[in-house]
Structure formats: structure tokens, C-alpha cells
Amino acid sequence: MHIQEFQNHMKRLYYYKDSKRGIEKTYIWFTQEVGELGKAMLDQDKEAIKNETSDVLAWLLSLCNLLDIDLEEAAVSKYGNNCPKCNKSPCECPFN
Ligand SMILES: [Zn+2]
């Protein structure tokens, strides 16, 4: 399944609820899921990490659906070829 297909799948599953909740509250849910991923990583809990990475992607796609962003198009446009900063592959940007 491609990102775009998965985004459409998430739209079928959740768009009605997402649009009722709205962009701001959906963004807050997304950031909470990022926090839960951080906790799972600190706990070194592999099952929880898998679970939370899935939630982060799901909430990001819900947000993209509300914002009318095609994440696959946006991500491939920015990162589909070389590094967008140094234009190399692999990236040769200095560590920061
Ligand atoms: Zn780079």
C-alpha cells in the first residue's frame, strides 16, 4: 500500500470524526502521540514503539486530510531525489 492509498484509507475510516474534531484538536492529538512514542522509546518497549509509530503516522495523515495535503506528493516532491539541502545522495550536510 502506497502512502497515498493509506491516506485515502485513513480518510474513509476517520474523516467524518476528524472534521468534527477540527484541525487544532487533531494537531494536539498528533503531538500527544509523538509524546507517547518518546515514552515508549525511553522504556525501550518494542511493541509500544511499533504501536506509537503507527499512531503518529495515522494522526499525521488525519491532519493532512483536514489540511488538504497529499503527503505522498509533498514528501516525494521534497525528499524523492537527493537531499533538499545539499542535493547529494546520501546526504553530505554537516551534523548539527
Ligand atoms: Zn544534505
Side-chain angles (χ1 to χ4, degrees):
M1 191 182 281
H2 290 269
I3 295 170
Q4 197 172 60
E5 292 169 330
F6 194 62
Q7 184 169 348
N8 285 332
H9 173 67
M10 298 307 289
K11 194 172 201 172
R12 280 189 297 276
L13 282 177
Y14 295 119
Y15 189 74
Y16 178 76
K17 284 181 161 181
D18 290 340
S19 53
K20 288 281 181 192
R21 184 186 316 100
I23 292 170
E24 288 178 17
K25 286 182 183 168
T26 300
Y27 172 75
I28 290 167
W29 268 100
F30 167 70
T31 62
Q32 287 174 342
E33 293 299 341
V34 172
E36 289 174 17
L37 172 59
K39 183 184 181 313
M41 291 169 63
L42 285 173
D43 293 344
Q44 298 182 338
D45 181 340
K46 187 75 174 180
E47 276 307 306
I49 292 168
K50 281 174 62 177
N51 196 32
E52 297 304 339
T53 51
S54 299
D55 288 346
V56 167
L57 179 61
W59 283 97
L60 177 61
L61 290 172
S62 279
L63 201 53
C64 287
N65 283 331
L66 290 174
L67 294 166
D68 198 25
I69 299 289
D70 177 337
L71 184 59
E72 181 173 305
E73 186 278 321
V76 169
S77 171
K78 184 165 185 181
Y79 293 102
N81 293 308
N82 296 336
C83 168
K85 287 186 181 170
C86 66
N87 199 29
K88 300 274 174 55
S89 178
C91 169
E92 293 179 13
C93 292
F95 282 99
N96 51 13

